[in-house]
Amino acid sequence: MSGRRDFLNQQAPENYVAGLGRGATGFTTRSDLGPAREGPSEEQMKELLAKRAAQLGQAAPSAYGATEKKDDDDDDDRFQDPDNEVGLFASGINYDRDDDEADRLYQAVDDRMDRRRKVRREAREKKEREEYERNNPKIQQQFADLKRALGSVTEEEWAALPEVGDMTGRNKRAREARLNNRFYAVPDSVIAGAAASGQLDTSISTSDTSDGTMTNFASIGQAQQSALQVRLDSAAANTSGTETSLGVDHKGYLTSLEKSELKAGEVPVEDINRARILLESAVKTNLRNGPGHVALCRLEEFAGKLTTARKVIARGCELCPHSIDCWQENIRINRENLHNAKIIAANALKLNPRAVSLWVSAVELESTSSAKKKVLRQALDHNSQSVLLWKSLINETENEDEVRLLFAKAVETVPLAEELWLGYSRLCDPEKAQIVLNQARKAIPTSSAIWIQAARLQEQLGANVMVSKIMERAVKSLARENAMLKREEWIKEAYKCEEEGAILTCTAIINSTLAWGLDEDDDRKETFTEDAREAISQGKYETARAIYAYGLRIFYQSKTLWQAAADLEKNHGTREALLQLLEKAVDACPGSEALWLLMVRERFSAGEFDEARKVLARAFTQLPGNENIYTRAVDLEIDAKQFNQARDFLRIARNEASTDRIWIRSATFERNLGNVDEALDLANQGLRLFPNAWKLHAIKGQLYESMSKLPEAQEAYSIGTRACPKAVPLYILLSRVQERSGAIVRARSTLDRARLAVPKNDVLLCECVRLERRASNMAAANKLMAQALQEVPNSGLLWTEKIMHLESRTQRKPRALEAIKKVDNDPILFVTVARIFWGERRLEKAATWFEKAIVLDADLGDTWAWYYKFLEQHGTLEKKEEVLSKIAMAEPKHGEIWQQVAKDPKNAGKSVEEILKIAITKLE
């Protein structure tokens, strides 16, 4: 019988409670004679609960499942929000596939709602930020006017400023020392040493007072240093050959020193020593720390001690034989000696045969292709699943048949390597490539790149119908596998296909995936438009064309989409494609006058006058009585020199579509032809029908001015200001007529009345300043400009007037910088900045600012005029031709100087290029 006692008779372990493991504790029954066994103490219960919470990944409760409640925490369980479900599923419940699907659905809903609110949220945040910056300006902005006033302070006023004294008790001793001008005597030895420090003595002193019984090592060292310095100087001065008398290539010698000594000289020696002490301590503390050895090696290398660095990393490899970083660093630092580096790599691979990075480093040490392939085959014996090694071996192989065999072996060994399958399919013939891609699709059913490659293969074979079918199957398959990409990622894949010339595949991707994730209640039209704009901005015009085509199939009657697609074809397509698109557009939207006019314009620009007339006839049937169609017909006949036909069109338009614009066009037409009386009569008739048409009042006054009837012109403008009190051009024309008549006071009064009728108008304020400037009243002009900038601080026109006409040349650049900070993207101001750089002969910056202004507003003719004037002096012939072609496409309509030239009856019928060259002569 065994000597071990029965466990039932043994004493229970300390703190043992029967049944505690299954949740039971001691209890008392009526049949017991005494109390039951005492349960676990509070400390034991806390320990058990903490252990249980750690297993569940939760925070440990303080006691018996109830967390501690702070004295100041009134958030009792009974006052908690019943809708708060935080931590509801944190109790270790199994997370299955249904939960994953639910999470993805909720995430998709959140993303869609966030996308729908994104534009409004960003606009609101931008508005709030601007409001905050306006209400809380920076200190620099608050004192900008005071800083400008410092420019007028004289030297006497600067000298009269009192010194700022230190009124506190701090720095008292230093202040008294400065006041008492304390000086200390410098020892003679310091002065003598400083004087001798900059001298170079090339002779060895013989005046040694010693008797020879003692060796003066200091003098010997000084002599050796002097002799070495002389020889180095003579070697550096000898430029007759690469080898000097010392047998040293001084250029190569200095170059080698640059790697070590120069680097070490950039960092103080104290810092290197301090870092060395820390790293040595770290290495000694943990000898198996590979990164520590690497860091110490790098430090020694940086300090120029390559031998020490090699010893450090060699010891690191001995102590950390399985540290990949140590072995790679050892190979790198010994790369100059390939034999040693190969030995190190071989030792590293013996100890770490599955380290792919070490095999790659070993391959890099080989110089021949056969040696590299040999190493790579050995690497694949140990790492057959490494895609990097397979790719490297394939890249080193030149024979196409061998490459094909390697690909077959690679995809068989690593069936989940997507890039290997794709490379294999590109190398095979079309029939074999289809088989390979089918195998790849079965091996990796979640890969979208394999489907895209299959579609591109069909495009190469000329099976255009199959391209779309394959992409449709791809979407269904990927959606079934829950591997569908986001629509933004599909658009990027379309970009790649377009870059590589796969246009049909690009279009198929857009047609199959553009609406993925979008519901009908989403603003899909706006989303499609933004996608197309983004594609155009990146130069992906085929992708943008496919997006517009897809959007037009859904929103067939959308005028904005047809207009955007037409703009794309006009700017980046062919004329035939544009005309075909416009034919479809006018059929889909026959009530869109913009599309009709664009089609007429394209026919006319191509010289097809008869076709343009046919299009206008079709437009008249679809839009009877439309004034824009009539005006376009008149322009067409005027350009064709058919003035009688144009006059007939205007007469018909005045009867069928009698609008103020038609009457204005009629009067302008007669004025341009020189028929002043007929033009004046048409203007009077139009004013009887439309007394509030300010342009008719302006034409009437200008006709009187051309007839040198200034009182009648003044009366016409005056009547116009009373009939149209908000028409700023009428006030300006009236004030200029009064100024020409010599009534400057009345002109000033007219502009003041205009400022009351139209407050905070920068054009009016600028005209007031110019009136005073023309009257040589610069003080009043400066005062008015200050008031104007307070009323309209973000006007580029006012800042330009101030910078170019009210500031001295030296102050223009600071004022321009201040204006740019206050005015956001104003082309007039950009032109002003360009002119300042032009005056400083900084031509590249000037050209950059001119181009910025043109990009910002291509409809501003003054910008084009200034830019072309700049190019006439400093531009090339190709650049000038490019600007002329761009301005012909832009056809600017606005600009102070541009409108004066373009609307002058003398220049009627002239081309944009002719108007540009006339406007240049009028620039100031």
Side-chain angles (χ1 to χ4, degrees):
M1 183 175 179
S2 175
R4 185 182 179 189
R5 298 172 59 187
D6 188 5
F7 75 92
L8 293 177
N9 298 325
Q10 292 181 1
Q11 185 178 0
E14 184 179 358
N15 296 328
Y16 171 74
V17 179
L20 183 62
R22 62 178 184 274
T25 58
F27 58 91
T28 304
T29 63
R30 185 173 297 177
S31 62
D32 292 332
L33 297 177
R37 184 175 297 173
E38 184 179 1
S41 62
E42 183 176 355
E43 290 76 9
Q44 294 172 347
M45 202 66 182
K46 287 183 179 180
E47 182 179 356
L48 292 173
L49 291 173
K51 185 176 180 180
R52 175 64 175 169
Q55 294 176 354
L56 296 177
Q58 300 175 349
S62 59
Y64 302 111
T67 57
E68 290 186 1
K69 296 184 179 180
K70 300 180 180 179
D71 296 336
D72 56 345
D73 188 7
D74 297 330
D75 188 15
D76 200 357
D77 292 342
R78 53 184 175 175
F79 300 116
Q80 289 183 356
D81 186 4
D83 296 332
N84 186 4
E85 299 178 351
V86 175
L88 183 61
F89 300 104
S91 58
I93 302 177
N94 293 332
Y95 190 79
D96 55 8
R97 188 171 182 178
D98 294 337
D99 296 327
D100 179 64
E101 183 179 2
D103 289 343
R104 287 190 289 102
L105 290 176
Y106 278 111
Q107 184 64 34
V109 172
D110 292 340
D111 293 341
R112 181 176 293 110
M113 297 302 295
D114 181 71
R115 187 169 59 250
R116 294 177 62 180
R117 301 189 185 102
K118 181 178 180 181
V119 177
R120 288 179 291 177
R121 183 177 69 251
E122 291 179 351
R124 186 182 70 253
E125 291 176 353
K126 182 179 179 181
K127 183 178 180 181
E128 292 175 354
R129 183 169 60 253
E130 292 176 353
E131 182 68 21
Y132 177 80
E133 292 177 354
R134 184 167 56 253
N135 296 333
N136 301 277
K138 297 181 180 178
I139 300 298
Q140 182 180 4
Q141 297 175 355
Q142 296 179 11
F143 292 94
D145 53 347
L146 299 178
K147 291 171 67 176
R148 287 197 304 268
L150 292 177
S152 60
V153 177
T154 61
E155 295 183 0
E156 292 78 9
E157 292 174 343
W158 276 113
L161 291 176
E163 294 291 339
V164 179
D166 190 357
M167 300 305 176
T168 64
R170 299 177 62 186
N171 303 327
K172 183 177 180 181
R173 183 178 301 174
R175 185 168 63 252
E176 290 179 352
R178 289 194 301 269
L179 294 176
N180 295 333
N181 293 329
R182 296 180 181 178
F183 297 97
Y184 298 93
V186 180
D188 296 340
S189 60
V190 176
I191 299 175
S197 61
Q199 296 180 359
L200 178 62
D201 189 6
T202 60
S203 62
I204 301 175
S205 176
T206 58
S207 59
D208 192 358
T209 57
S210 61
D211 55 359
T213 58
M214 295 181 63
T215 303
N216 191 348
F217 292 101
S219 60
I220 294 175
Q222 183 180 2
Q224 290 178 348
Q225 183 178 5
S226 301
L228 179 61
Q229 184 67 35
V230 171
R231 297 177 68 188
L232 287 177
D233 291 342
S234 61
N238 185 11
T239 58
S240 59
T242 57
E243 297 292 333
T244 63
S245 59
L246 293 175
V248 178
D249 181 6
H250 62 280
K251 294 182 179 179
Y253 178 72
L254 295 177
T255 304
S256 62
L257 286 179
E258 184 180 356
K259 296 182 179 179
S260 58
E261 301 296 338
L262 190 58
K263 283 185 178 179
E266 296 176 357
V267 181
V269 179
E270 297 81 3
D271 294 345
I272 294 178
N273 293 335
R274 191 180 299 112
R276 182 182 290 112
I277 293 172
L278 292 174
L279 291 176
E280 288 177 350
S281 176
V283 170
K284 291 178 182 178
T285 304
N286 186 5
L287 295 176
R288 306 297 179 183
N289 183 16
H293 293 281
V294 174
L296 184 57
C297 173
R298 294 281 179 90
L299 177 66
E300 298 297 346
E301 181 187 11
F302 185 79
K305 300 180 179 180
L306 294 178
T307 304
T308 306
R310 293 190 180 100
K311 291 181 180 179
V312 168
I313 198 61
R315 178 170 173 76
C317 292
E318 293 176 1
L319 297 174
C320 308
H322 298 291
S323 175
I324 308 301
D325 295 334
C326 285
W327 287 109
Q328 284 186 331
E329 182 67 18
N330 199 357
I331 294 172
R332 184 194 66 81
I333 203 170
N334 289 277
R335 192 177 291 271
E336 295 180 358
N337 190 335
L338 285 178
H339 181 69
N340 292 343
K342 290 180 180 180
I343 294 174
I344 294 170
N347 295 332
L349 292 172
K350 288 179 182 178
L351 297 173
N352 304 278
R354 301 189 64 84
V356 176
S357 58
L358 288 179
W359 285 106
V360 173
S361 300
V363 171
E364 293 175 353
L365 294 176
E366 302 295 338
S367 57
T368 62
S369 178
S370 59
K372 290 182 179 181
K373 288 191 289 185
K374 182 178 179 181
V375 174
L376 286 170
R377 289 192 179 94
Q378 295 177 3
L380 286 171
D381 291 340
H382 296 87
N383 303 274
S384 59
Q385 296 293 321
S386 175
V387 178
L388 178 61
L389 293 176
W390 281 109
K391 290 170 59 178
S392 300
L393 180 58
I394 291 170
N395 291 332
E396 292 295 334
T397 305
E398 297 178 357
N399 192 335
E400 186 174 346
D401 295 333
E402 293 182 5
V403 171
R404 193 177 292 109
L405 292 175
L406 286 175
F407 265 123
K409 183 63 176 178
V411 296
E412 180 183 355
T413 307
V414 193
L416 298 181
E418 178 184 275
E419 47 190 333
L420 292 178
W421 284 107
L422 295 177
Y424 189 20
S425 66
R426 295 190 186 100
L427 189 64
C428 297
D429 56 88
E431 295 180 358
K432 179 66 175 178
Q434 292 183 10
I435 299 174
V436 171
L437 288 174
N438 287 331
Q439 295 174 353
R441 179 174 52 82
K442 294 178 182 178
I444 315 174
T446 59
S447 173
S448 59
I450 294 175
W451 285 101
I452 295 174
Q453 182 64 23
R456 296 185 59 177
L457 178 62
Q458 295 299 324
E459 182 179 357
Q460 293 174 3
L461 295 175
N464 300 338
V465 179
M466 288 298 299
V467 176
S468 300
K469 291 183 179 180
I470 287 177
M471 286 310 305
E472 293 174 0
R473 291 173 55 193
V475 171
K476 294 178 182 179
S477 176
L478 293 174
R480 185 169 58 251
E481 297 292 336
N482 291 328
M484 188 66 179
L485 302 179
K486 295 182 180 180
R487 57 186 306 277
E488 292 81 5
E489 296 174 349
W490 281 113
I491 293 175
K492 292 181 180 179
E493 293 293 336
Y495 290 169
K496 294 179 182 178
C497 292
E498 181 180 353
E499 289 177 356
E500 297 173 1
I503 305 302
L504 292 178
T505 305
C506 168
T507 304
I509 291 174
I510 294 299
N511 293 336
S512 302
T513 63
L514 187 62
W516 179 261
L518 297 178
D519 295 334
E520 293 184 0
D521 56 345
D522 293 334
D523 195 357
R524 292 184 296 172
K525 184 170 68 173
E526 184 65 26
T527 304
F528 295 159
T529 305
E530 289 296 328
D531 293 336
R533 290 173 182 170
E534 179 65 22
I536 293 173
S537 65
Q538 297 188 17
K540 304 299 185 294
Y541 306 120
E542 293 295 337
T543 305
R545 189 174 288 112
I547 292 173
Y548 280 134
Y550 182 84
L552 287 172
R553 285 197 295 270
I554 300 176
F555 305 99
Y556 184 67
Q557 296 181 343
S558 174
K559 299 178 183 178
T560 56
L561 280 180
W562 283 111
Q563 185 72 34
D567 292 339
L568 173 63
E569 296 296 341
K570 179 180 178 182
N571 297 326
H572 307 288
T574 61
R575 180 176 171 274
E576 291 75 14
L578 175 60
L579 292 177
Q580 292 177 3
L581 180 68
L582 288 175
E583 286 290 347
K584 296 178 182 179
V586 296
D587 291 340
C589 305
S592 174
E593 67 177 44
L595 294 174
W596 286 108
L597 293 175
L598 181 59
M599 192 172 180
V600 172
R601 182 178 179 181
E602 291 302 322
R603 292 290 187 184
F604 174 75
S605 61
E608 301 175 356
F609 297 104
D610 294 335
E611 293 295 330
R613 290 189 178 96
K614 291 179 182 179
V615 174
L616 283 172
R618 293 167 55 191
F620 280 130
T621 58
Q622 296 292 337
L623 300 170
N626 186 281
E627 65 174 12
N628 291 323
I629 302 297
Y630 277 110
T631 54
R632 187 57 195 165
V634 171
D635 293 338
L636 176 63
E637 299 300 338
I638 291 175
D639 293 333
K641 307 299 181 182
Q642 300 293 330
F643 300 116
N644 293 328
Q645 187 69 25
R647 189 177 288 109
D648 294 338
F649 269 121
L650 288 172
R651 184 174 62 255
I652 296 172
R654 289 196 298 271
N655 294 329
E656 296 184 1
S658 182
T659 62
D660 57 346
R661 185 181 174 189
I662 294 296
W663 286 97
I664 292 170
R665 191 71 181 87
S666 301
T668 304
F669 172 72
E670 297 295 343
R671 183 183 66 175
N672 292 338
L673 292 178
N675 303 324
V676 180
D677 295 334
E678 289 81 354
L680 188 59
D681 182 58
L682 288 171
N684 289 325
Q685 293 181 32
L687 286 173
R688 284 194 292 270
L689 296 174
F690 305 98
N692 295 327
W694 68 268
K695 287 189 176 181
L696 286 174
H697 291 283
I699 291 173
K700 182 179 178 180
Q702 289 172 348
L703 288 171
Y704 280 125
E705 283 191 68
S706 64
M707 299 166 63
S708 300
K709 296 181 179 180
L710 296 185
E712 289 81 355
Q714 185 174 344
E715 180 66 21
Y717 292 140
S718 181
I719 294 173
T721 56
R722 290 194 295 269
C724 310
K726 301 295 183 179
V728 174
L730 287 178
Y731 289 106
I732 296 176
L733 290 171
L734 177 58
S735 67
R736 289 180 179 176
V737 171
Q738 292 170 345
E739 184 182 3
R740 287 173 58 188
S741 302
I744 297 179
V745 177
R746 294 185 63 186
R748 188 181 293 116
S749 176
T750 298
L751 293 176
D752 291 340
R753 181 161 56 89
R755 290 174 59 186
L756 293 175
V758 189
K760 295 183 179 181
N761 186 278
D762 57 343
V763 178
L764 271 178
L765 294 171
C766 184
E767 184 64 25
C768 293
V769 173
R770 290 176 178 176
L771 177 64
E772 300 299 338
R773 184 165 58 83
R774 288 194 295 265
S776 301
N777 192 355
M778 300 305 296
N782 282 298
K783 183 178 179 181
L784 283 172
M785 179 58 70
Q787 296 175 358
L789 288 176
Q790 289 181 354
E791 294 181 11
V792 191
N794 57 351
S795 171
L797 178 64
L798 291 175
W799 280 105
T800 297
E801 182 69 21
K802 177 180 176 61
I803 293 169
M804 302 307 296
H805 299 288
L806 300 181
E807 293 286 349
S808 61
R809 185 176 296 273
T810 57
Q811 294 297 319
R812 287 179 180 176
K813 195 171 182 179
R815 294 294 81 75
L817 180 61
E818 181 183 354
I820 289 175
K821 292 180 180 179
K822 292 189 175 182
V823 182
D824 186 19
N825 293 337
D826 191 289
I828 300 176
L829 184 59
F830 284 5
V831 171
T832 304
V833 175
R835 291 169 60 188
I836 293 174
F837 283 123
W838 184 6
E840 295 178 353
R841 308 294 295 178
R842 301 174 66 177
L843 304 180
E844 292 184 0
K845 282 187 171 293
T848 301
W849 281 94
F850 277 128
E851 291 172 358
K852 285 183 179 180
I854 290 174
V855 171
L856 193 61
D857 187 4
D859 192 52
L860 193 64
D862 291 1
T863 304
W864 291 99
W866 277 111
Y867 189 31
Y868 194 78
K869 185 176 182 179
F870 168 78
L871 292 177
E872 281 189 336
Q873 298 183 16
H874 307 288
T876 60
L877 181 61
E878 294 79 7
K879 192 65 176 178
K880 288 190 287 186
E881 291 178 353
E882 179 185 354
V883 170
L884 289 176
S885 62
K886 288 183 178 180
I887 193 175
M889 294 177 59
E891 294 185 359
K893 297 291 190 298
H894 298 88
E896 185 177 2
I897 303 298
W898 187 268
Q899 286 185 329
Q900 292 178 8
V901 175
K903 293 186 177 182
D904 191 343
K906 300 176 183 179
N907 301 325
K910 292 186 177 180
S911 63
V912 176
E913 181 178 350
E914 293 173 339
I915 294 174
L916 174 67
K917 294 181 179 180
I918 296 174
I920 290 175
T921 61
K922 296 183 177 297
L923 294 175
E924 296 180 359

